[in-house]
Amino acid sequence: MANLKEIKLQISSVKGTQKTTRAMKLVSQAKLKRAEELAKRSRVYAQKLDELVSEIAYEINQNKVGGSESRFVQADLPVSTVDIVCVTADKGLCGGFNVTTLKTTLGLIREYKEKKVAVRLRVVGRKAIDFLKYNGIEMMDEVIGLSASPDYKKAADFIDASMNDFAEGKTDRVVLVYNGFKNMLAQEQRVLQLLPVDISTVEPRELKSSIEYEPEGHEELLNALLQKYVQYSMYYGLLDSLAAEHSARMQAMDNATKNASERVNELTIQYNKARQESITTELIEIISGMEALK
């Protein structure tokens, strides 16, 4: 059994760690509230944009034989090259948050390669970048800092490169992979096909927008809206991922704090036992010495 001094040092060390994890939990909790609120506000805009795209897509399907000619909405394109956009955090200490996304991304890569489809990776987040570099997996594009501090213009610039390649026929599909916010206690892995957008299944709906346009303007307006739709989907994905990251870190730090508390209790019991054993040994030695003097 370790001596009293060693146990005392261990208790002090674990208590120090406990203070750190408790502080990190509180910080993540505060950041989560802000990130969740921003994601909620952004979701409203995303829903309105989706409604508008659906309205115009429905009009095209109704009024034009064969539907839209835009490559952005040709869901039946033969797939030979795919862009996978992977989003992880820049930091760790958030449980399996980053690992889950990386596993999903690697699974998609294997799935496409089995179908003889070429895969290009565009990566957001230091954790994914470091992992892929360590494993020798090539990346088409990479950025650090965007997942920790989402910015619409930077997100749009990042996804525009992939969108332009798709428009030029260099790629046939764009897929976004990230860990999204479900609730305070859970995250949800999301795999979203950004391009092409399938409008063939758009359900008839009452036109809710007040926008008026000429019939021949459908295609041009749809293309402009779809570009905005893809850009905003990327931005919203970053916001959703950030909220999920703080949620995961808050949980991880809460578990770490509880584990530290349990360890302190175990070490305290161990310390008390060692102290009692030490006192008993000393008493026996004293009594034995007194007996020897008689």
Side-chain angles (χ1 to χ4, degrees):
M1 185 177 288
N3 62 43
L4 294 173
K5 188 176 180 180
E6 289 176 350
I7 298 173
K8 209 168 183 178
L9 285 172
Q10 287 182 44
I11 292 173
S12 178
S13 175
V14 175
K15 281 184 176 180
T17 302
Q18 188 180 28
K19 287 180 182 178
T20 302
T21 55
R22 187 182 289 115
M24 290 181 69
K25 174 193 170 183
L26 294 174
V27 170
S28 293
Q29 195 170 9
K31 287 183 177 179
L32 172 60
K33 288 179 181 178
R34 292 196 295 270
E36 187 181 4
E37 184 60 33
L38 183 57
K40 282 181 180 178
R41 291 201 302 267
S42 301
R43 192 180 301 125
V44 174
Y45 179 87
Q47 288 171 346
K48 293 298 180 183
L49 185 60
D50 183 58
E51 287 177 7
L52 190 56
V53 169
S54 296
E55 287 178 14
I56 298 171
Y58 176 64
E59 285 292 305
I60 290 175
N61 286 341
Q62 288 289 99
N63 300 323
K64 187 172 183 179
V65 177
S68 174
E69 296 176 356
S70 171
R71 180 175 168 82
F72 285 174
V73 295
Q74 292 178 17
D76 57 347
L77 284 172
V79 181
S80 60
T81 306
V82 174
D83 264 10
I84 296 179
V85 182
C86 172
V87 178
T88 64
D90 287 330
K91 298 178 181 178
L93 298 177
C94 46
F97 176 81
N98 295 311
V99 175
T100 305
T101 302
L102 287 168
K103 282 183 177 179
T104 302
T105 301
L106 294 175
L108 278 175
I109 292 172
R110 284 194 299 270
E111 184 181 324
Y112 280 121
K113 285 188 174 179
E114 286 173 1
K115 296 176 181 178
K116 308 299 181 184
V117 174
V119 176
R120 307 191 316 178
L121 275 175
R122 298 183 185 272
V123 185
V124 180
R126 186 186 299 275
K127 287 298 175 181
I129 292 170
D130 290 346
F131 173 84
L132 295 170
K133 281 183 177 178
Y134 179 79
N135 287 278
I137 300 175
E138 185 180 352
M139 289 172 282
M140 184 78 179
D141 198 3
E142 60 185 72
V143 61
I144 294 172
L146 188 56
S147 58
S149 182
D151 177 83
Y152 179 78
K153 187 178 184 306
K154 291 179 180 178
D157 289 342
F158 182 80
I159 200 65
D160 277 352
S162 191
M163 192 160 42
N164 292 337
D165 283 352
F166 179 85
E168 293 171 8
K170 295 179 181 178
T171 59
D172 309 299
R173 185 174 293 175
V174 180
V175 180
L176 175 63
V177 183
Y178 68 95
N179 218 343
F181 179 78
K182 187 175 182 181
N183 54 52
M184 294 284 285
L185 300 175
Q187 299 79 48
E188 188 173 58
Q189 189 67 193
R190 307 197 199 282
V191 180
L192 308 177
Q193 181 175 308
L194 297 183
L195 290 171
V197 179
D198 187 1
I199 64 170
S200 63
T201 58
V202 173
E203 296 294 330
R205 67 165 72 196
E206 179 184 353
L207 297 182
K208 297 179 181 179
S209 66
S210 57
I211 297 176
E212 295 182 4
Y213 42 79
E214 297 297 327
E216 61 269 18
H218 281 161
E219 288 286 343
E220 185 178 348
L221 182 57
L222 180 62
N223 278 336
L225 280 174
L226 284 173
Q227 290 179 30
K228 182 67 69 174
Y229 174 79
V230 172
Q231 290 172 346
Y232 204 82
S233 294
M234 181 69 208
Y235 175 62
Y236 178 73
L238 291 169
L239 293 176
D240 196 22
S241 176
L242 182 60
E245 178 192 341
H246 290 316
S247 171
R249 185 170 289 110
M250 187 182 72
Q251 284 180 273
M253 293 302 100
D254 183 52
N255 290 334
T257 302
K258 289 176 180 176
N259 290 338
S261 180
E262 290 176 4
R263 182 57 180 159
V264 168
N265 290 337
E266 290 174 1
L267 287 170
T268 301
I269 292 171
Q270 187 178 340
Y271 176 82
N272 290 335
K273 285 182 177 179
R275 185 167 175 272
Q276 186 178 22
E277 192 176 293
S278 176
I279 292 170
T280 303
T281 302
E282 287 179 6
L283 285 172
I284 291 172
E285 288 175 355
I286 292 169
I287 293 170
S288 298
M290 291 177 65
E291 288 295 326
L293 292 172
K294 290 181 180 179

